[in-house]
Amino acid sequence: MSTNNVFAVTSIFKELDRKITLNKKEKVTVTEQELLDTYLNVTYPSLKRYADFYEFNFKFLKEIPFDICENIPIRKKIWYSKSYYIKKLFEQYDNIIMSDFDVIIKTYNNVLNRDEIGVIEKENVLHQYKREADFVSKKLNKQINRWYKTSFVYIPKTYKDVFIEQINEKFDEFLLDPDPVSTGDEVFINYIIHKHNLPVFKINKILKLNHYGGGMEKQKLIELNKEYFKFKKYFSYI
């Protein structure tokens, strides 16, 4: 594919035997391996179809892309990997879509004609992320009143230099910040957008997305995966 656009999916599973509790009340526990299998079967097809249809190169981002030896929990390194990958991808590509692995695209549309940052913005979302917004506000010395979800984000080449510059200058500071609110890419990307007052559009208004981010949502994905295998034997093309 000759296109210079990339659709990248963060899929860093470093502890496949690690158990994750999805539902404490019902004591539903799965391993990372089970989640990886579920993602590949259930969410991957819609992400790959989007990339193919709109002629994006499709990439899995499977490794932590930086080597910092400080005593940083591996989960935090994984959560910050998306931010660092933006820099690496912009060294090769012009326009970037980055998606978490637990997203399904239900309604397709082309975002390449937009010259703004595509982010997920929901009504009344700020109060859910007050601590994160206050953290970014403190970094910027100004109060922010919008919080953008970055489980699915589009960054056009117009803002390539801004992102590369900020990642070069500020990435280590955010990664090494001991504040527990400094959790990952969402905090850092919100910082960049608000610092430079970058224009955004609600990508969830252009594309209909299902994000299975929480434990209960992941539990639904596990059930969908079981259904997938029930019906797979009847269809040679699945």
XYZ file of all heavy atoms in Angstrom, residues 22-106:
742
model
N -12.379 -8.705 36.205
C -13.291 -7.868 35.440
C -14.529 -7.489 36.238
O -15.122 -6.434 36.028
C -13.725 -8.588 34.158
C -12.618 -8.998 33.190
C -13.218 -9.646 31.950
C -11.757 -7.804 32.797
N -14.936 -8.370 37.129
C -16.157 -8.146 37.897
C -15.943 -8.703 39.302
O -16.005 -9.912 39.519
C -17.345 -8.835 37.217
C -18.679 -8.489 37.857
O -18.765 -8.277 39.066
N -19.725 -8.441 37.061
N -15.647 -7.805 40.250
C -15.356 -8.245 41.618
C -16.558 -8.912 42.271
O -16.435 -9.881 42.999
C -14.887 -7.053 42.457
C -13.533 -6.501 42.060
C -13.122 -5.359 42.957
C -11.760 -4.818 42.544
N -11.327 -3.679 43.401
N -17.743 -8.351 41.985
C -18.957 -8.887 42.610
C -19.212 -10.330 42.187
O -19.534 -11.193 43.007
C -20.153 -8.010 42.241
C -21.441 -8.404 42.947
C -22.564 -7.432 42.598
C -23.862 -7.818 43.322
N -24.972 -6.881 42.988
N -19.049 -10.600 40.894
C -19.285 -11.948 40.380
C -17.999 -12.759 40.289
O -18.009 -13.898 39.820
C -19.951 -11.860 39.004
C -21.309 -11.188 39.036
C -21.945 -11.120 37.655
O -21.486 -11.840 36.751
O -22.920 -10.355 37.493
N -16.893 -12.160 40.718
C -15.590 -12.825 40.747
C -15.199 -13.368 39.368
O -14.769 -14.516 39.219
C -15.573 -13.938 41.790
C -15.797 -13.444 43.213
C -15.747 -14.564 44.233
C -15.947 -14.018 45.648
N -15.943 -15.094 46.669
N -15.362 -12.504 38.349
C -14.987 -12.879 36.984
C -13.531 -12.482 36.770
O -13.186 -11.300 36.838
C -15.886 -12.189 35.942
C -15.425 -12.541 34.529
C -17.334 -12.593 36.152
N -12.677 -13.460 36.534
C -11.248 -13.221 36.344
C -10.788 -13.863 35.042
O -11.177 -14.988 34.733
C -10.440 -13.804 37.521
O -10.908 -13.209 38.735
C -8.962 -13.502 37.368
N -9.988 -13.133 34.288
C -9.427 -13.657 33.042
C -7.935 -13.357 33.009
O -7.428 -12.582 33.823
C -10.105 -13.033 31.801
C -11.582 -13.344 31.771
C -9.867 -11.526 31.749
N -7.241 -13.988 32.083
C -5.822 -13.696 31.891
C -5.647 -12.728 30.722
O -6.554 -12.550 29.902
C -5.028 -14.976 31.592
O -5.496 -15.526 30.363
C -5.194 -15.990 32.716
N -4.473 -12.123 30.630
C -4.176 -11.270 29.475
C -4.272 -12.070 28.183
O -4.684 -11.546 27.148
C -2.778 -10.663 29.611
C -2.709 -9.428 30.483
C -1.418 -8.642 30.279
O -0.647 -8.986 29.345
O -1.183 -7.690 31.040
N -3.884 -13.344 28.228
C -3.966 -14.184 27.034
C -5.412 -14.297 26.548
O -5.679 -14.200 25.340
C -3.419 -15.585 27.327
C -3.464 -16.538 26.137
C -2.485 -16.148 25.053
O -1.285 -16.127 25.286
N -2.991 -15.818 23.869
N -6.344 -14.468 27.469
C -7.756 -14.565 27.092
C -8.248 -13.255 26.475
O -9.028 -13.268 25.508
C -8.606 -14.938 28.306
C -8.405 -16.370 28.783
C -9.157 -16.661 30.067
O -8.729 -16.147 31.129
O -10.160 -17.393 30.012
N -7.799 -12.132 27.025
C -8.185 -10.841 26.449
C -7.585 -10.655 25.061
O -8.257 -10.191 24.141
C -7.744 -9.697 27.368
C -8.605 -9.438 28.598
C -8.021 -8.292 29.409
C -10.044 -9.119 28.221
N -6.320 -11.022 24.893
C -5.675 -10.910 23.588
C -6.432 -11.734 22.544
O -6.720 -11.256 21.447
C -4.221 -11.378 23.677
C -3.450 -11.473 22.348
C -3.413 -10.123 21.651
C -2.038 -11.993 22.578
N -6.783 -12.960 22.887
C -7.530 -13.815 21.958
C -8.874 -13.185 21.600
O -9.304 -13.197 20.440
C -7.765 -15.196 22.582
C -6.472 -15.955 22.814
O -5.448 -15.588 22.218
O -6.486 -16.915 23.617
N -9.535 -12.639 22.604
C -10.838 -12.011 22.384
C -10.713 -10.804 21.468
O -11.501 -10.618 20.532
C -11.455 -11.591 23.730
O -11.718 -12.768 24.500
C -12.751 -10.827 23.541
N -9.715 -9.959 21.704
C -9.526 -8.781 20.872
C -9.276 -9.164 19.419
O -9.847 -8.573 18.497
C -8.360 -7.935 21.385
C -8.581 -7.301 22.732
C -7.508 -7.025 23.570
C -9.852 -6.977 23.178
C -7.703 -6.428 24.808
C -10.048 -6.387 24.414
C -8.970 -6.120 25.221
O -9.155 -5.528 26.446
N -8.406 -10.143 19.210
C -8.078 -10.536 17.845
C -9.307 -11.055 17.106
O -9.480 -10.827 15.912
C -6.973 -11.592 17.850
C -5.556 -11.066 18.130
C -4.588 -12.217 18.316
C -5.084 -10.172 16.992
N -10.176 -11.737 17.814
C -11.357 -12.312 17.179
C -12.505 -11.312 17.014
O -13.243 -11.375 16.034
C -11.867 -13.505 17.997
C -10.967 -14.723 17.855
O -10.387 -14.941 16.804
N -10.844 -15.497 18.916
N -12.659 -10.404 17.982
C -13.872 -9.589 18.030
C -13.647 -8.149 17.564
O -14.400 -7.628 16.736
C -14.487 -9.596 19.452
C -15.765 -8.765 19.493
C -14.779 -11.028 19.894
N -12.619 -7.475 18.066
C -12.447 -6.062 17.727
C -11.573 -5.850 16.494
O -11.796 -4.913 15.723
C -11.843 -5.266 18.900
O -10.518 -5.755 19.177
C -12.696 -5.404 20.146
N -10.583 -6.697 16.308
C -9.641 -6.525 15.196
C -10.307 -6.419 13.826
O -9.931 -5.540 13.029
C -8.622 -7.667 15.213
C -7.853 -7.835 13.930
C -6.876 -6.919 13.550
C -8.098 -8.917 13.087
C -6.166 -7.070 12.370
C -7.403 -9.074 11.898
C -6.440 -8.156 11.552
O -5.753 -8.310 10.377
N -11.296 -7.264 13.489
C -11.842 -7.196 12.125
C -12.353 -5.817 11.723
O -12.105 -5.358 10.596
C -12.980 -8.230 12.159
C -12.542 -9.219 13.191
C -11.870 -8.387 14.243
N -13.049 -5.115 12.611
C -13.592 -3.806 12.225
C -12.478 -2.772 12.085
O -12.538 -1.892 11.219
C -14.640 -3.331 13.240
O -14.048 -2.796 14.397
N -11.454 -2.862 12.923
C -10.336 -1.913 12.834
C -9.561 -2.119 11.535
O -9.214 -1.153 10.839
C -9.407 -2.088 14.042
C -10.052 -1.905 15.426
C -9.030 -2.200 16.520
C -10.614 -0.507 15.594
N -9.295 -3.365 11.204
C -8.537 -3.665 9.982
C -9.352 -3.311 8.742
O -8.804 -2.782 7.750
C -8.182 -5.156 9.964
C -7.319 -5.586 8.768
C -5.963 -4.896 8.779
C -4.974 -5.552 7.825
N -5.334 -5.482 6.423
N -10.659 -3.538 8.745
C -11.489 -3.187 7.592
C -11.472 -1.675 7.352
O -11.418 -1.214 6.212
C -12.933 -3.673 7.803
C -13.146 -5.134 7.460
C -14.627 -5.446 7.315
N -15.362 -5.204 8.545
C -15.570 -6.122 9.475
N -15.091 -7.351 9.313
N -16.255 -5.835 10.558
N -11.537 -0.906 8.454
C -11.484 0.559 8.303
C -10.162 0.971 7.658
O -10.141 1.770 6.712
C -11.645 1.250 9.658
C -11.653 2.760 9.530
C -12.852 3.454 9.423
C -10.471 3.488 9.490
C -12.868 4.840 9.262
C -10.473 4.862 9.327
C -11.673 5.533 9.223
O -11.685 6.897 9.051
N -9.062 0.444 8.188
C -7.743 0.797 7.658
C -7.627 0.435 6.182
O -7.113 1.218 5.379
C -6.657 0.087 8.466
N -8.106 -0.732 5.808
C -8.013 -1.162 4.411
C -8.885 -0.297 3.505
O -8.457 0.114 2.423
C -8.441 -2.632 4.284
C -7.414 -3.587 4.869
O -6.288 -3.141 5.143
O -7.746 -4.769 5.055
N -10.103 -0.017 3.938
C -11.041 0.711 3.079
C -10.559 2.133 2.800
O -10.661 2.625 1.678
C -12.428 0.738 3.718
C -13.490 1.274 2.809
C -14.064 0.474 1.837
C -13.906 2.592 2.895
C -15.034 0.973 0.973
C -14.874 3.102 2.038
C -15.445 2.285 1.070
N -10.023 2.804 3.832
C -9.564 4.186 3.657
C -8.062 4.271 3.396
O -7.464 5.344 3.485
C -9.971 5.027 4.866
C -11.472 5.225 4.934
C -12.237 4.571 5.901
C -12.132 6.026 4.013
C -13.617 4.724 5.949
C -13.506 6.188 4.048
C -14.246 5.534 5.021
O -15.618 5.682 5.065
N -7.458 3.128 3.085
C -6.072 3.050 2.637
C -5.070 3.592 3.661
O -4.198 4.414 3.350
C -5.910 3.746 1.282
C -6.745 3.097 0.191
C -6.494 3.695 -1.183
O -5.949 4.818 -1.269
O -6.846 3.031 -2.169
N -5.211 3.109 4.876
C -4.211 3.332 5.915
C -3.324 2.085 6.008
O -3.823 0.961 5.906
C -4.865 3.538 7.282
C -5.480 4.887 7.511
C -6.710 5.211 6.952
C -4.848 5.827 8.307
C -7.288 6.445 7.175
C -5.413 7.067 8.540
C -6.640 7.379 7.972
N -2.038 2.291 6.196
C -1.199 1.176 6.607
C -1.637 0.749 8.004
O -1.870 1.603 8.868
C 0.276 1.587 6.635
C 0.836 1.825 5.248
O 1.142 0.887 4.524
N 0.946 3.094 4.865
N -1.733 -0.535 8.232
C -2.201 -1.043 9.523
C -1.025 -1.603 10.299
O -0.248 -2.408 9.785
C -3.252 -2.135 9.323
C -3.925 -2.567 10.595
C -5.055 -1.900 11.055
C -3.433 -3.632 11.330
C -5.677 -2.298 12.240
C -4.046 -4.028 12.503
C -5.171 -3.368 12.960
N -0.902 -1.176 11.561
C 0.209 -1.638 12.394
C -0.281 -2.018 13.785
O -1.100 -1.311 14.375
C 1.273 -0.537 12.554
C 2.208 -0.374 11.373
C 3.269 0.677 11.678
C 4.298 0.761 10.566
N 5.143 -0.430 10.489
N 0.231 -3.125 14.292
C 0.103 -3.430 15.704
C 1.306 -2.843 16.426
O 2.445 -2.993 15.967
C 0.076 -4.946 15.951
C -1.189 -5.624 15.552
C -1.211 -6.542 14.525
C -2.374 -5.345 16.219
C -2.375 -7.175 14.163
C -3.553 -5.967 15.862
C -3.559 -6.889 14.828
N 1.069 -2.182 17.546
C 2.147 -1.658 18.385
C 2.259 -2.584 19.590
O 1.475 -2.493 20.524
C 1.842 -0.221 18.805
C 1.496 0.735 17.653
C 1.147 2.121 18.197
C 2.635 0.821 16.643
N 3.244 -3.465 19.558
C 3.280 -4.576 20.505
C 4.382 -4.480 21.552
O 4.435 -5.301 22.461
C 3.427 -5.899 19.741
C 2.252 -6.193 18.812
C 2.389 -7.558 18.149
C 3.464 -7.541 17.100
N 3.501 -8.816 16.326
N 5.249 -3.499 21.428
C 6.374 -3.390 22.350
C 6.389 -2.024 23.023
O 5.876 -1.043 22.474
C 7.699 -3.596 21.603
C 7.827 -4.933 20.899
C 7.825 -6.107 21.857
O 8.240 -5.919 23.028
O 7.418 -7.217 21.446
N 6.983 -1.958 24.200
C 7.219 -0.666 24.855
C 8.343 0.020 24.079
O 9.445 -0.534 23.973
C 7.591 -0.862 26.332
C 6.404 -1.461 27.096
C 8.014 0.464 26.965
C 6.721 -1.889 28.505
N 8.106 1.208 23.498
C 9.039 1.776 22.522
C 10.171 2.612 23.099
O 10.915 3.242 22.349
C 8.125 2.652 21.660
C 7.093 3.130 22.629
C 6.871 1.998 23.606
N 10.306 2.662 24.408
C 11.373 3.471 25.001
C 12.069 2.651 26.077
O 11.527 1.678 26.596
C 10.817 4.773 25.600
C 9.650 4.572 26.530
C 9.839 4.295 27.876
C 8.354 4.647 26.045
C 8.764 4.094 28.722
C 7.272 4.457 26.890
C 7.476 4.178 28.225
N 13.281 3.044 26.404
C 14.091 2.300 27.360
C 14.508 3.246 28.476
O 15.537 3.910 28.396
C 15.313 1.699 26.665
C 16.157 0.858 27.624
O 15.612 0.423 28.646
O 17.347 0.646 27.334
N 13.687 3.308 29.499
C 13.993 4.131 30.669
C 14.107 3.196 31.859
O 13.193 2.416 32.147
C 12.907 5.194 30.900
C 12.909 6.188 29.726
C 13.133 5.935 32.212
C 11.847 7.258 29.810
N 15.226 3.255 32.544
C 15.549 2.230 33.537
C 15.021 2.537 34.935
O 15.133 1.706 35.831
C 17.073 2.036 33.611
S 17.797 1.474 32.053
N 14.477 3.728 35.135
C 13.984 4.056 36.461
C 12.904 3.049 36.891
O 12.314 2.361 36.074
C 13.392 5.472 36.471
C 14.432 6.570 36.594
C 15.091 6.914 35.263
O 14.815 6.193 34.293
O 15.869 7.873 35.210
N 12.650 3.020 38.163
C 11.711 2.049 38.730
C 10.271 2.484 38.440
O 9.561 2.980 39.308
C 11.947 1.931 40.238
C 11.114 0.817 40.848
O 10.733 -0.134 40.152
N 10.833 0.932 42.132
N 9.866 2.277 37.208
C 8.522 2.643 36.771
C 7.727 1.361 36.563
O 8.196 0.448 35.891
C 8.568 3.438 35.447
C 9.409 4.698 35.630
C 7.158 3.797 34.983
C 9.717 5.398 34.331
N 6.532 1.257 37.142
C 5.731 0.040 36.944
C 5.487 -0.224 35.468
O 5.295 0.710 34.674
C 4.414 0.357 37.672
C 4.765 1.443 38.644
C 5.862 2.237 38.002
N 5.505 -1.488 35.082
C 5.341 -1.837 33.672
C 4.006 -1.359 33.129
O 3.886 -0.971 31.974
C 5.510 -3.358 33.455
C 5.550 -3.659 31.949
C 4.387 -4.129 34.145
C 5.969 -5.083 31.637
N 2.959 -1.336 33.986
C 1.658 -0.881 33.500
C 1.716 0.587 33.075
O 1.127 0.983 32.080
C 0.578 -1.059 34.581
C 0.427 -2.447 35.162
C 0.312 -3.509 34.097
N -0.824 -3.317 33.202
C -0.983 -3.984 32.071
N -0.092 -4.844 31.662
N -2.050 -3.772 31.329
N 2.465 1.405 33.847
C 2.582 2.819 33.495
C 3.364 2.976 32.196
O 3.024 3.809 31.350
C 3.245 3.605 34.620
C 3.246 5.116 34.385
C 3.767 5.890 35.593
C 3.647 7.386 35.367
N 4.140 8.172 36.521
N 4.404 2.167 32.004
C 5.157 2.213 30.753
C 4.256 1.882 29.564
O 4.333 2.515 28.507
C 6.330 1.238 30.810
C 7.456 1.648 31.735
C 8.594 0.647 31.656
C 9.749 1.038 32.563
N 10.872 0.083 32.479
N 3.401 0.881 29.748
C 2.479 0.501 28.675
C 1.517 1.636 28.380
O 1.259 1.977 27.220
C 1.722 -0.790 29.059
C 2.687 -1.987 29.033
C 0.542 -1.035 28.121
C 2.091 -3.280 29.576
N 0.969 2.251 29.433
C -0.010 3.325 29.242
C 0.595 4.555 28.582
O -0.102 5.317 27.907
C -0.641 3.701 30.583
C -1.503 2.615 31.148
C -2.205 1.674 30.449
C -1.741 2.343 32.526
N -2.866 0.839 31.316
C -2.598 1.224 32.602
C -1.318 2.936 33.717
C -3.043 0.682 33.809
C -1.750 2.405 34.921
C -2.609 1.295 34.962
N 1.893 4.788 28.774
C 2.546 5.931 28.137
C 3.103 5.610 26.753
O 3.550 6.503 26.038
C 3.667 6.474 29.029
C 3.225 7.637 29.884
C 2.910 7.473 31.224
C 3.092 8.904 29.332
C 2.474 8.538 31.999
C 2.672 9.979 30.093
C 2.366 9.789 31.426
O 1.930 10.852 32.177
N 3.053 4.347 26.364
C 3.648 3.955 25.085
C 2.962 4.627 23.903
O 3.614 4.987 22.915
C 3.600 2.433 24.923
O 4.496 1.805 25.815
N 1.636 4.801 23.979
C 0.923 5.406 22.851
C 1.475 6.800 22.550
O 1.676 7.150 21.377
C -0.579 5.489 23.141
C -1.380 6.035 21.965
C -2.829 6.303 22.330
C -3.620 5.054 22.539
N -5.061 5.340 22.782
N 1.732 7.591 23.592
C 2.273 8.937 23.379
C 3.615 8.896 22.665
O 3.866 9.649 21.720
C 2.431 9.665 24.721
O 1.201 9.798 25.372
N 4.483 8.002 23.103
C 5.816 7.918 22.498
C 5.737 7.415 21.062
O 6.492 7.849 20.196
C 6.718 7.018 23.331
C 8.187 7.221 23.053
C 8.887 8.228 23.703
C 8.871 6.423 22.133
C 10.236 8.427 23.456
C 10.206 6.616 21.875
C 10.887 7.616 22.540
O 12.218 7.826 22.286
N 4.808 6.503 20.826
C 4.643 5.972 19.469
C 4.214 7.051 18.477
O 4.500 6.952 17.284
C 3.633 4.834 19.458
C 4.254 3.459 19.591
C 3.924 2.619 20.645
C 5.164 2.996 18.641
C 4.488 1.354 20.764
C 5.731 1.736 18.754
C 5.393 0.920 19.808
O 5.957 -0.330 19.916
N 3.508 8.075 18.947
C 3.113 9.162 18.048
C 4.349 9.764 17.392
O 4.388 9.996 16.176
C 2.318 10.237 18.808
C 0.951 9.679 19.237
C 2.135 11.490 17.953
C 0.174 10.598 20.156
N 5.366 10.004 18.194
C 6.618 10.547 17.662
C 7.238 9.598 16.644
O 7.642 10.010 15.541
C 7.586 10.805 18.816
C 9.000 11.152 18.385
C 9.928 11.204 19.584
C 11.381 11.309 19.140
N 12.308 11.311 20.294
N 7.327 8.327 16.974
C 7.961 7.356 16.085
C 7.181 7.200 14.776
O 7.768 7.082 13.698
C 8.091 6.007 16.796
C 9.075 6.004 17.957
C 9.137 4.676 18.659
C 9.793 3.614 17.802
N 11.244 3.848 17.612
N 5.866 7.216 14.866
C 5.055 7.066 13.661
C 5.159 8.293 12.755
O 5.167 8.168 11.530
C 3.600 6.805 14.043
C 3.328 5.433 14.687
C 1.909 5.379 15.232
C 3.564 4.303 13.690
N 5.247 9.476 13.377
C 5.370 10.690 12.574
C 6.724 10.773 11.855
O 6.904 11.581 10.941
C 5.148 11.936 13.425
C 3.728 12.441 13.413
C 3.133 12.898 14.572
C 2.990 12.465 12.233
C 1.822 13.365 14.579
C 1.686 12.938 12.215
C 1.095 13.385 13.394
N 7.674 9.964 12.252
C 8.941 9.906 11.521
C 8.771 9.193 10.186
O 9.611 9.333 9.286
C 9.998 9.201 12.376
C 10.413 9.995 13.616
C 11.284 9.186 14.571
O 11.527 7.990 14.265
O 11.720 9.733 15.597
N 7.659 8.423 10.037
C 7.437 7.639 8.818
C 6.178 8.056 8.060
O 6.107 7.880 6.840
C 7.309 6.155 9.160
C 8.503 5.567 9.876
C 8.250 4.112 10.272
O 7.315 3.477 9.823
N 9.093 3.600 11.134
N 5.181 8.589 8.783
C 3.875 8.813 8.181
C 3.425 10.262 8.368
O 3.934 10.981 9.216
C 2.839 7.867 8.801
C 3.175 6.405 8.627
C 3.770 5.682 9.666
C 2.899 5.748 7.435
C 4.089 4.337 9.504
C 3.198 4.408 7.270
C 3.800 3.705 8.302
O 4.106 2.383 8.142
N 2.421 10.633 7.566
C 1.865 11.985 7.653
C 0.680 12.057 8.611
O 0.645 12.907 9.500
C 1.426 12.463 6.265
C 2.606 12.764 5.360
O 3.672 13.127 5.887
O 2.465 12.622 4.134
N -0.309 11.202 8.411
C -1.534 11.246 9.208
C -1.654 9.952 10.016
O -1.396 8.859 9.502
C -2.754 11.401 8.299
C -2.668 12.667 7.450
O -2.719 13.772 7.972
N -2.527 12.502 6.141
N -2.085 10.116 11.268
C -2.089 8.976 12.192
C -3.472 8.792 12.809
O -4.081 9.756 13.291
C -1.073 9.193 13.334
C 0.353 9.282 12.799
C -1.181 8.096 14.379
C 1.373 9.680 13.866
N -3.941 7.558 12.793
C -5.027 7.149 13.688
C -4.427 6.171 14.678
O -3.711 5.235 14.289
C -6.190 6.468 12.931
C -6.992 7.490 12.133
C -7.127 5.765 13.913
C -8.127 6.876 11.315
N -4.694 6.402 15.960
C -4.267 5.453 16.987
C -5.497 4.998 17.746
O -6.317 5.803 18.186
C -3.252 6.089 17.928
C -1.967 6.479 17.243
S -0.629 6.814 18.413
C -0.193 5.171 18.926
N -5.598 3.691 17.898
C -6.763 3.114 18.571
C -6.314 2.147 19.654
O -5.323 1.427 19.488
C -7.650 2.381 17.552
O -8.708 1.694 18.198
N -7.063 2.130 20.750
C -6.904 1.040 21.700
C -7.426 -0.231 21.048
O -8.208 -0.199 20.094
C -7.690 1.322 22.981
C -7.050 2.411 23.827
O -5.961 2.890 23.459
O -7.645 2.800 24.848
N -7.025 -1.366 21.617
C -7.414 -2.630 21.017
C -8.871 -2.989 21.307
O -9.488 -3.770 20.578
C -6.494 -3.748 21.553
C -6.237 -4.834 20.566
C -4.954 -5.321 20.379
C -7.251 -5.378 19.811
C -4.695 -6.330 19.471
C -7.015 -6.385 18.899
C -5.737 -6.859 18.736
N -9.451 -2.397 22.357
C -10.800 -2.791 22.774
C -11.870 -1.872 22.196
O -12.827 -1.495 22.864
C -10.894 -2.831 24.302
C -10.315 -1.598 24.973
O -9.930 -0.654 24.256
O -10.244 -1.592 26.210
N -11.707 -1.491 20.917
C -12.643 -0.611 20.222
C -13.215 -1.334 19.006
O -12.489 -2.032 18.288
C -11.946 0.689 19.776
C -12.845 1.516 18.861
C -11.525 1.526 20.986
N -14.509 -1.166 18.785
C -15.153 -1.635 17.564
C -15.705 -0.425 16.823
O -16.369 0.430 17.423
C -16.298 -2.627 17.868
C -15.738 -3.956 18.398
C -17.151 -2.880 16.631
C -16.807 -4.957 18.780
N -15.409 -0.336 15.523
C -15.977 0.723 14.680
C -17.271 0.180 14.081
O -17.257 -0.813 13.356
C -15.008 1.130 13.565
C -13.659 1.560 14.144
C -15.601 2.273 12.731
C -12.598 1.823 13.095
N -18.377 0.857 14.357
C -19.675 0.380 13.877
C -20.166 1.158 12.670
O -20.892 0.624 11.828
C -20.709 0.456 15.004
C -20.389 -0.444 16.192
C -21.441 -0.355 17.267
C -22.757 -0.951 16.820
N -23.765 -0.933 17.906
